[in-house]
C-alpha cells in the first residue's frame, strides 16, 4: 500500500441528482456512466464550486458536475466528444424542435454523396448512408452552434447504437447480424429520433456559465477552477487504447470529414482517419504525462479516475500526485466493464477495481 494512502468509508451526505442518471449512456471505452452515483458520493465530500472535466468523453461526468450546480468546463481533443459537451453542458436552453427535425430530414437536392461513396459495404445499410449524407446537407441550415451540436450528438448516438459492437474496427452490415436486437433492427433515422428526444431532455440551466473546449489537455489553461477531474486513457495490459481506431467514423461524422485530421486513409479497409497522438497511450511516455498533468493543474484539487488494469499502477500514481499535493485520499470500488473489442476479454480482465485519487 502506498505511503499516505487512506481507505475511507464514505458517509453519504448529498442526494444524487437523478438528472445525471438520465444522461444518455453511450457505449464508449472507459465511460464512467455506471459509476456516476459513486463518483457523486466522493465529489460531494469535497468543497468546490467550479470544475474542469479534462477528458470528457461522453460528457457524463461533466454533466454530473453541472447537475451538482457547479460551474463546469469540459475538454476533450475529439470533435464528437466536444460536440456532445457543447450541446449538453455548455448549452443551457436550446433544444431541437419538431420543425428543426423536419427540416433536417427534408430531401436536399444539393446533398453530397461522400458517406455513401466512402462507406458503402463497410458500415450500415445503403438507406442509412443516404440518410447521413442528406442530414449533413441540412445541418448547416440550423440556426446556432448549439442546435448543430445536439444534431451531431444525436447522430453519434444513433451510429453507436446501430453498429453491432459500438465500434468501427471491422466492417459489418447490420443486416448480417440476425440476433434480433432492437438496436440493430432500428434504422439510423429511427435511432436519430430517439436520440434527439434524449439529448433534448438533458438541456437545462444550472445558473452557471458552463463551457466546452476541444483541445489537447496540455493546451487547456490551468485557470481558476477549484477542482480538476481527470479520466485519461490508460496503457492497457494487452491490446491498445486508441480512440480513433474504434471511433474514427464518429470523429469524421462530427464535421462531415471536413475538419483537419479527418482525411480518409484510403488504404485502410474501414476507411480510418489518422491516429491522434496522446502520451497516455504509451508505456514510455505515460508516467511523464501523468506528472505533467498533476503539475499543470496543481493549483486545483485533483481528482483522478484509475482502474486496476491500467499502467502506471496505483502506488506509482499516488507517488506522482504526492509531489504536488500534500493530502492524498484513495477511494475504491469494484467494477465490471461491459465493454470489449474482443469477445475473448477474459472475466478476470473485465473485472477491475476502480479508484478515485483525490489530492488536495
Ligand atoms: C477514458 S475516456 C473519458 C471517459 C469519460 N470520463 C466518460 O465517462 O465518458 C478518455 C478520453 O480522453 C480523451 N483524450 C485522450 N488523450 C487526450 C489528450 N491528450 N487531450 C485531451 N483529451 C484526450 C479521449 O478522446 C477520451 O475521450
Amino acid at each position: 500500500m502506498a505511503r499516505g494512502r487512506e481507505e475511507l468509508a464514505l458517509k453519504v451526505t448529498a442526494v444524487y441528482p437523478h438528472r445525471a442518471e438520465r444522461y444518455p449512456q453511450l457505449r464508449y471505452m472507459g465511460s464512467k456512466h455506471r459509476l456516476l452515483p459513486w463518483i457523486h458520493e466522493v465529489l460531494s465530500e469535497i468543497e468546490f464550486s467550479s470544475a474542469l472535466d479534462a477528458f470528457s468523453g461522453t460528457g457524463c461526468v461533466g454533466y454530473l458536475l453541472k447537475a451538482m450546480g457547479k460551474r463546469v468546463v469540459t475538454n476533450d481533443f475529439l470533435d464528437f466528444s466536444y460536440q456532445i459537451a457543447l450541446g449538453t453542458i455548455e448549452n443551457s436552453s436550446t433544444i431541437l424542435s419538431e420543425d428543426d427535425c423536419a427540416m433536417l430530414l427534408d430531401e436536399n437536392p444539393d446533398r453530397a454523396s461522400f458517406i455513401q461513396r466512402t462507406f458503402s459495404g463497410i458500415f450500415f445499410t445503403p438507406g442509412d448512408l443516404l440518410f447521413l449524407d442528406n442530414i449533413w446537407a441540412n445541418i448547416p441550415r440550423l440556426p446556432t452552434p448549439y442546435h448543430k451540436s445536439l444534431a451531431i450528438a444525436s447522430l453519434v448516438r444513433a451510429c453507436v447504437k446501430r453498429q453491432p459492437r459500438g465500434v468501427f474496427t471491422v466492417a459489418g452490415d447490420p443486416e448480417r447480424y440476425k440476433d434480433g436486437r432492437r438496436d440493430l433492427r432500428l434504422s439510423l433515422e429511427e435511432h436519430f429520433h430517439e436520440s434527439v428526444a434524449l439529448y433534448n431532455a438533458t438541456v437545462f440551466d444550472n445558473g452557471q456559465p458552463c463551457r466546452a473546449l476541444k483541445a489537447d489537455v496540455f493546451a487547456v489553461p490551468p485557470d481558476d477552477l477549484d477542482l480538476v477531474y481527470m479520466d485519461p486513457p490508460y496503457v492497457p495490459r494487452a491490446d491498445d487504447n486508441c480512440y480513433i481506431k474504434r471511433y474514427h467514423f464518429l470523429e469524421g461524422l462530427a464535421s462531415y470529414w471536413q475538419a483537419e485530421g479527418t482525411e480518409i486513409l484510403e488504404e485502410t479497409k474501414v476507411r480510418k482517419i489518422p491516429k491522434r497522438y496522446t502520451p497516455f497511450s504509451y508505456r514510455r511516455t505515460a508516467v511523464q504525462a501523468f506528472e505533467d498533468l498533476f503539475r499543470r493543474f496543481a493549483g486545483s484539487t485533483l481528482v483522478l479516475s484509475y482502474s486496476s488494469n491500467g499502467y502506471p499502477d496505483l502506488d506509482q500514481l499516488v507517488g506522482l500526485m504526492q509531489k504536488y499535493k500534500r493530502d492524498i485520499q484513495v477511494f475504491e470500488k469494484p467494477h465490471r466493464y461491459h465493454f470489449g473489442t474482443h469477445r475473448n476479454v477474459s472475466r478476470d480482465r473485465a473485472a477491475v477495481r476502480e479508484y478515485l485519487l483525490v489530492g488536495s
Side-chain angles (χ1 to χ4, degrees):
M1 182 171 293
R3 231 167 1 109
R5 184 177 149 197
E6 292 172 47
E7 302 290 345
L8 294 186
L10 287 166
K11 43 181 197 321
V12 180
T13 49
V15 178
Y16 181 63
H18 285 286
R19 197 184 270 285
E21 219 161 52
R22 294 196 298 268
Y23 189 75
Q25 186 163 9
L26 262 197
R27 210 169 170 207
Y28 189 63
M29 181 166 64
S31 168
K32 297 296 176 287
H33 198 288
R34 283 154 32 82
L35 293 169
L36 289 180
W38 174 63
I39 293 175
H40 172 257
E41 277 177 38
V42 173
L43 293 178
S44 53
E45 296 288 308
I46 306 169
E47 250 183 63
F48 66 106
S49 55
S50 57
L52 169 68
D53 180 2
F55 302 83
S56 63
T58 64
C60 64
V61 179
Y63 191 78
L64 167 69
L65 290 160
K66 180 174 178 181
M68 290 170 75
K70 314 296 180 187
R71 177 168 71 82
V72 183
V73 178
T74 66
N75 177 66
D76 202 289
F77 68 0
L78 294 183
D79 198 8
F80 70 91
S81 293
Y82 163 71
Q83 295 293 342
I84 297 171
L86 193 62
T88 60
I89 297 168
E90 180 172 314
N91 170 28
S92 62
S93 57
T94 300
I95 59 164
L96 285 176
S97 67
E98 279 184 20
D99 285 352
D100 294 327
C101 288
M103 182 281 286
L104 286 172
L105 298 177
D106 273 352
E107 203 175 317
N108 188 323
D110 299 326
R111 68 175 168 245
S113 57
F114 172 81
I115 297 182
Q116 294 166 84
R117 280 187 284 110
T118 311
F119 295 102
S120 151
I122 298 178
F123 302 128
F124 307 123
T125 63
D128 288 331
L129 299 178
L130 171 62
F131 162 76
L132 289 176
D133 274 325
N134 192 70
I135 202 165
W136 247 111
N138 291 326
I139 282 178
R141 295 163 63 195
L142 287 169
T144 72
Y146 293 141
H147 287 90
K148 289 177 193 152
S149 63
L150 286 172
I152 292 168
S154 303
L155 285 179
V156 164
R157 181 178 178 277
C159 290
V160 171
K161 288 285 227 184
R162 179 93 165 108
Q163 184 65 0
R165 293 204 322 276
V167 291
F168 297 83
T169 48
V170 285
D173 175 345
E175 308 288 275
R176 272 190 6 220
Y177 288 75
K178 301 287 183 210
D179 60 7
R181 256 186 293 162
R182 177 177 185 273
D183 278 352
L184 303 186
R185 282 199 322 267
L186 294 192
S187 67
L188 271 187
E189 183 173 335
E190 288 167 319
H191 276 300
F192 176 73
H193 286 296
E194 290 193 356
S195 302
V196 168
L198 289 170
Y199 278 116
N200 270 346
T202 66
V203 177
F204 79 109
D205 186 355
N206 77 346
Q208 305 287 338
C210 296
R211 282 211 62 199
L213 305 175
K214 178 179 56 181
D216 188 280
V217 71
F218 296 110
V220 174
D223 268 345
D224 56 342
L225 294 158
D226 301 335
L227 180 144
V228 176
Y229 170 74
M230 296 160 287
D231 186 19
Y234 282 87
V235 185
R237 276 191 274 162
D239 205 357
D240 62 64
N241 63 7
C242 181
Y243 282 83
I244 289 291
K245 171 175 139 185
R246 291 166 178 79
Y247 305 114
H248 60 94
F249 188 86
L250 307 177
E251 184 61 5
L253 183 66
S255 69
Y256 201 68
W257 286 262
Q258 297 295 302
E260 203 184 319
T262 62
E263 307 77 26
I264 296 280
L265 299 171
E266 297 291 347
E267 72 282 7
T268 57
K269 276 197 191 132
V270 290
R271 303 290 182 270
K272 284 194 229 164
I273 60 175
K275 266 188 170 183
R276 200 74 47 87
Y277 172 76
T278 181
F280 297 98
S281 286
Y282 308 97
R283 272 185 173 254
R284 65 176 188 285
T285 48
V287 173
Q288 187 62 49
F290 278 99
E291 171 146 16
D292 293 345
L293 195 61
F294 298 156
R295 189 187 321 106
R296 184 169 192 84
F297 298 111
S300 309
T301 298
L302 299 178
V303 180
L304 179 75
S305 269
Y306 170 73
S307 327
S308 55
N309 58 352
Y311 169 87
D313 67 23
L314 181 62
D315 287 350
Q316 203 171 356
L317 286 169
V318 170
L320 287 174
M321 203 185 264
Q322 273 173 334
K323 290 190 183 181
Y324 302 96
K325 290 291 174 187
R326 223 175 301 147
D327 182 29
I328 315 287
Q329 299 176 334
V330 178
F331 299 85
E332 182 174 336
K333 184 174 179 64
H335 181 57
R336 186 175 291 279
Y337 275 101
H338 287 256
F339 178 92
T341 51
H342 300 297
R343 288 218 183 90
N344 63 358
V345 170
S346 72
R347 291 186 75 78
D348 276 357
R349 251 186 78 199
V352 296
R353 300 197 76 75
E354 283 290 326
Y355 297 94
L356 280 171
L357 278 67
V358 179
S360 40

